Each structure stands twice: as C-alpha cells, then as structure tokens.
Amino acid sequence: MALFDILSAAMIFSSDTDHESVVSISVYAAVLCLCIVVGHFLGENRWVNESITAMLIGCSIGTIILFSSKGRSSHILRFDEELFFIYLLPPIIFNAGFQVKKKQFFHNFLNIMFFGVVGVFISFAIISAGSWWLFPKIGFNGLSARDYLALGTIFASTDTVCTLRVLHQDENPRLYSLVFGEGVVNDATSVVLFNAIQNMAVYKLEGWAAVHVIGDFLYLFSTSTILGIATGLLTAYALKTPYFGRHSTDREIALMVLMAYLSYMLAELLQLSGILTVFLCGIVMSHYAQHNVRDNSRTTTRHIFATLSFMAETFIFLYVGMDALDIEKWKTTKTRCWKTSFGIYSIILFLVMLGRAAFVFPLYALFNHMSSSSEGSLITFKHQVIIWWAGLMRGAVSVALAFSQFTVYGVTWDPVHATMITSTVVVVLFSTLVFGCVTKPLISILLPHHARENNQPHDDSANNDVTFPLLSLDGSAATAILQAKSSLSLMLARPVHTIHAYWRRFDDEYMRPVFGGPF
C-alpha cells in the first residue's frame, strides 16, 4: 500500500511538472510568433531591427511575468548553456557558412582569417589584462585568474547581426564580406580560445603557459577545420552516388540536415570547436553537395537552414531580454552599491571599444600600406569605422560563454559569479540596443546610397583567365621560364587572386568530378 502511494505521488508530481513544461513552451512559442510579426512590421524602421525587437519584447514579457509572479521569477524557460551550444548555435553557424557568398569570402579569405584570429587575441589580451587591473580599483574582487582569462574570451566575441542587417551584399559586397567573415571567424576563435583556457592549468600561468594555450588553440583550430571539410565532402560524395535520393527529396534533405548536425556533434564529442567545424561543413556543402540534389531539394534545404537559423537567433535575443530581469541573479550579486555596478559595466564597455580599436585601425592601416592602390583594394577610414562599430555589439555567444563559465545549468549561488552574469547581460543589452539603434543612421551618414553604388572596389578577377598564372606545357623552355617569372611576380603582387586561380584549376580538374558541383 505504501509503495502504491509513493508511485501515485510520483506520477502526480511528474504530471504537474510536464504540465508546467507544456505551458512554458506554449507561451514561449506564442511570444516567438509575436516577435516575428512585430519584427516584420518594423523591418524598414530606421532605428530598430529584429534582434532589438526580440530583446525589447523579452524585457516586456519578463516584466509582466515578474509582476504576475510577485517578484519570484521573470522567466518562461530556464536558460542552459548546453541547450544553446547543442540546439541553438549549430543552425545559426551552419546557415552562415551555407549562405555565404563564397567568391567574395575567399577573395578576402586571408584578410578575414588574419583579422578574425589576430583580432580576438588582441581584444582578449586587452580585456583580460584591463579587467584584472581595473576591477580591484573599484572594489570588486573575488575572480580567479581563469575567470579573468575567460572574461577576455567572453567579451572578445562579437555579434555583427545588427550591422549585417543594414549592409547589403549587392551594394557593398566587399565590406559585407569583411564584416560577415570576420564575425564568424571571431566567434569560432573565441570559443576555441575559451576551450583552450579551460584546459589550461591555472598554477602554470608563468613561463610556457602562453605557448601551451597557443598550441592548444592551433590544434583545436586545425583539427576542427579538417573535420568540417571531411564531413562536407563525405556528404557531397554520398549525394553524388548514382541513384541515391533520385526518387526521394526527403532522403536528400534528411541526409544534408543530419550530416550538418553530425559534424557539430562529432566536434563537441572530440572536444574540438563545433562552431568552426559546422561553418566549414556548411561552406563545403554549399559548394559541392547542394549541386548534387534536385532543384526542389536545393531550394528546400536553403529555406530550412535559413528558417532554423532565424528562429534560433530570435529565441536567444528574446531570452536575453527576459534574463535582464532575473531577480534571483540580481539578489545574489556581490555589488549592492550602484556605483560599483556602474563601474563594472563602464570598464567592460571601455575595454571592448579599446580592444576593438587596438587592432582594427592599426591592422587595416598596415593592410592599406602593403596593398597596391591600383587594385582598388584600399579600406577607407569610413569603412574602418563601420568595421570597428560592427564589432562593438555583444550577443548570443558572449551570453553562452558567460553562463558556461559562471553558472551550473543556468544557476549560480556565488555572488561574484552572479555579478559577472548580470554584467554580461547588461553589456549585451546596452551594446545591442544602443549601438544597434545607431548602426543604420551611422552607415547612412558614412556610406550614402549613391556612394555605395559608385565607389565599389574594382574586382578585376573576373577578367583574369584562371589558367594565366599556371605554366603551360607547350612552347620552348625560354617561354616556360618567362611564364614562371610572370607567375612568381603575380604571386608576390597579388597572392589572394593567384591562390584563388590555382584553386579553381585544381577544383575543376580533380574535386568536382568526384564530389560534384557546378561546371
């Protein structure tokens, strides 16, 4: 009889818990629909975009829940960093790689990789060292050495969504490619560096600690790259196999979706960078795999990936808006004085702006100095300001890394860690709302519509024969030597275009016959 009572009570408790979960998910789904509808009506607004709209709606819904629960909670669902990294982040990053304009991206590949990787390390160093030095001066103590290093990676991660929503690929493709590519590489580098810091022994901070961190970073970066490319090529080869999916669109779509998700999960299982893996998998699938399926499958997959990415982004920004009113974290925080809290927010924002400026303007000045003005490849100061501004906003990756470092399943009882969570949410809110609202007017002032049309960088790569820098087997030895000298000179003068030409020749002759793609 006692056992029966216990089982009955357990079933009743489970039923109540399931009912609460169903209600929470239903309300959240309704709020997501509201964000989509409101974002559609405000799509052409000068000051806001869909990300800002989702945050504002999240704050409004959080306020309603906070008052209806009499100050107990402002949440519909409890945020879990594993939920973000496993379910929400993969479709966002994969769609970024799948939809990227590959020609512009790879024409600027060296610049994107250089600024994306080196920029993260510069921002990481400035933010970590600056917070380590300035936080104690305003009376905030308690963070460990690992926490300060993690803080540098958390706020080195950018969110360029607001800027990309304003920039147009057709009007300014090169600037869009630089902002977009650097943003994705920045996020991947930040997560890889964050994981490398987690694996670092804190008591070995002196001596070879930096070398070990860089070594771990290079290992994670290279292995993640190989895994992403291999998964994409395997998918393309499977789809190119005769008769596979030729009578079933569902099989083709299912294989692409599952292999994309599998690439991310394999990287996480092997403790690699899932972001970098799934991004490169998306690029490879877009280049090869999608050309091995039928037209309706190709159209459907692009819409599926774009829809999943859009829903995940809206979900995240909506939650950040609600989390700003999490009364539990605010009660747990160590800083009861508003001056100390304001000092923490101000220091973080100042270091973010300083860290961004410390590499954008000097590195692009160096890039302009080394570039030939005849190529039309100079990045003007106005473009540099837009690139700098685009990286000031912080978003989903920063929130997820902060929760991963300072909470356990979204909950923390440590006042110092709770302070860092609330500080991260405030910085994300402020940077997205304030900086995001100014983005569209700023771009309109710096790049008027007529200037964006008339001052496009001249891309003469289309006029170059892809076989020009390649040696011909015909002709005399003297002709071959002259061609070799010309090829070497071209390689030194224009390395990106020359490497791209070699790659196109190799791709046409060896890769596409095996893995498919447009001819």
Side-chain angles (χ1 to χ4, degrees):
M1 188 66 178
L3 179 61
F4 177 77
D5 293 338
I6 293 174
L7 292 175
S8 299
M11 292 177 63
I12 294 173
F13 176 77
S14 177
S15 177
D16 293 340
T17 304
D18 292 341
H19 178 72
E20 292 179 0
S21 299
V22 171
V23 171
S24 299
I25 295 174
S26 300
V27 173
Y28 210 98
V31 176
L32 282 174
C33 293
L34 177 64
C35 290
I36 294 173
V37 173
V38 175
H40 170 72
F41 286 112
L42 297 177
E44 299 300 326
N45 189 278
R46 178 181 179 138
W47 299 99
V48 300
N49 54 39
E50 291 171 337
S51 302
I52 297 175
T53 302
M55 276 193 175
L56 293 176
I57 292 177
C59 291
S60 303
I61 298 298
T63 303
I64 295 173
I65 297 174
L66 190 65
F67 280 106
S68 62
S69 64
K70 297 180 180 180
R72 290 193 302 270
S73 176
S74 66
H75 290 281
I76 301 175
L77 297 174
R78 175 65 62 181
F79 184 88
D80 184 358
E81 67 274 9
E82 293 185 0
L83 168 70
F84 172 81
F85 280 110
I86 295 178
Y87 299 108
L88 298 180
L89 189 60
I92 297 175
I93 303 301
F94 179 83
N95 183 67
F98 196 77
Q99 306 286 354
V100 68
K101 300 291 184 181
K102 294 183 291 296
K103 182 177 180 180
Q104 282 292 333
F105 181 83
F106 284 103
H107 275 173
N108 300 290
F109 182 74
L110 296 180
N111 298 337
I112 289 171
M113 294 300 297
F114 182 71
F115 291 108
V117 175
V118 175
V120 166
F121 276 89
I122 294 176
S123 296
F124 158 76
I126 291 177
I127 295 172
S128 296
S131 58
W132 204 331
W133 177 51
L134 293 175
F135 279 177
K137 293 184 179 297
I138 61 173
F140 181 70
N141 299 283
L143 292 176
S144 64
R146 191 191 302 275
D147 290 336
Y148 281 114
L149 295 177
L151 202 64
T153 61
I154 290 170
F155 291 108
S157 174
T158 63
D159 181 28
T160 59
V161 172
C162 291
T163 306
L164 293 176
R165 294 273 171 86
V166 180
L167 286 174
H168 301 286
Q169 296 193 65
D170 297 331
E171 293 183 358
N172 208 321
R174 188 157 187 262
L175 182 60
Y176 185 96
S177 175
L178 289 172
V179 173
F180 170 80
E182 186 204 337
V184 176
V185 174
N186 176 286
D187 287 345
T189 305
S190 298
V191 175
V192 172
L193 185 58
F194 180 84
N195 293 334
I197 289 173
Q198 300 305 309
N199 298 330
M200 182 185 65
V202 179
Y203 59 86
K204 294 182 179 179
L205 284 179
E206 298 179 356
W208 295 94
V211 177
H212 290 301
V213 170
I214 294 175
D216 290 341
F217 170 81
L218 293 176
Y219 166 76
L220 293 173
F221 202 92
S222 58
T223 50
S224 301
T225 300
I226 294 172
L227 179 61
I229 294 176
T231 308
L233 291 177
L234 179 62
T235 306
Y237 183 78
L239 289 171
K240 195 175 184 297
T241 302
Y243 305 112
F244 181 88
R246 288 292 184 263
H247 304 288
S248 175
T249 300
D250 298 337
R251 290 194 185 98
E252 294 175 333
I253 297 174
L255 182 66
M256 292 184 69
V257 173
L258 291 175
M259 288 298 289
Y261 190 70
L262 180 62
S263 69
Y264 183 88
M265 295 308 298
L266 282 176
E268 294 298 314
L269 182 64
L270 299 174
Q271 297 182 343
L272 304 177
S273 172
I275 291 181
L276 184 60
T277 298
V278 77
F279 175 70
L280 291 170
C281 180
I283 291 179
V284 174
M285 280 194 186
S286 175
H287 189 64
Y288 296 112
Q290 73 162 339
H291 298 286
N292 299 334
V293 299
R294 294 183 292 180
D295 292 339
N296 54 349
S297 299
R298 189 178 305 124
T299 303
T300 304
T301 51
R302 295 185 73 87
H303 285 294
I304 286 177
F305 294 138
T307 301
L308 292 175
S309 174
F310 171 74
M311 292 175 61
E313 286 182 3
T314 306
F315 183 100
I316 292 167
F317 284 109
L318 180 64
Y319 187 90
V320 170
M322 289 189 296
D323 196 69
L325 300 172
D326 188 356
I327 199 68
E328 295 178 3
K329 293 187 179 69
W330 287 103
K331 287 181 178 179
T332 310
T333 56
K334 180 180 179 181
T335 57
R336 302 297 181 184
C337 177
W338 68 270
K339 291 183 178 180
T340 304
S341 299
F342 183 78
I344 294 174
Y345 311 149
S346 301
I347 288 173
I348 294 175
L349 286 171
F350 170 74
L351 292 175
V352 165
M353 299 175 73
L354 178 63
R356 182 76 181 167
F359 78 88
V360 169
F361 297 108
L363 293 185
Y364 273 107
L366 178 63
F367 170 76
N368 287 336
H369 178 72
M370 296 177 62
S371 299
S372 174
S373 58
S374 61
E375 296 179 20
S377 58
L378 298 181
I379 305 298
T380 66
F381 181 75
K382 292 182 178 180
H383 289 170
Q384 295 176 33
V385 172
I386 294 176
I387 294 172
W388 170 74
W389 187 267
L392 294 181
M393 284 157 277
R394 297 298 177 262
V397 176
S398 295
V399 173
L401 293 179
F403 271 77
S404 179
Q405 177 68 24
F406 299 113
T407 69
V408 179
Y409 297 106
V411 179
T412 180
W413 301 109
D414 188 334
V416 176
H417 289 177
T419 302
M420 297 318 303
I421 293 294
T422 56
S423 300
T424 302
V425 172
V426 169
V427 169
V428 170
L429 273 175
F430 181 87
S431 62
T432 302
L433 294 177
V434 177
F435 296 160
C437 287
V438 181
T439 297
K440 188 177 290 188
L442 178 67
I443 293 179
S444 299
I445 294 173
L446 294 178
L447 296 178
H449 185 72
H450 67 277
R452 281 178 270 174
E453 292 180 338
N454 298 331
N455 293 326
Q456 295 301 318
H458 179 63
D459 185 6
D460 57 355
S461 61
N463 299 326
N464 293 335
D465 185 359
V466 297
T467 61
F468 172 71
L470 300 173
L471 294 179
S472 174
L473 297 178
D474 301 329
S476 62
T479 303
I481 293 175
L482 291 176
Q483 288 183 350
K485 291 181 178 180
S486 176
S487 177
L488 180 60
S489 300
L490 186 61
M491 174 71 78
L492 295 176
R494 303 179 63 200
V496 176
H497 294 281
T498 310
I499 293 173
H500 182 257
Y502 276 112
W503 162 248
R504 285 186 59 186
R505 179 69 179 270
F506 176 79
D507 191 32
D508 290 338
E509 292 189 1
Y510 300 102
M511 298 295 290
R512 289 181 178 178
V514 177
F515 300 105
F519 286 91

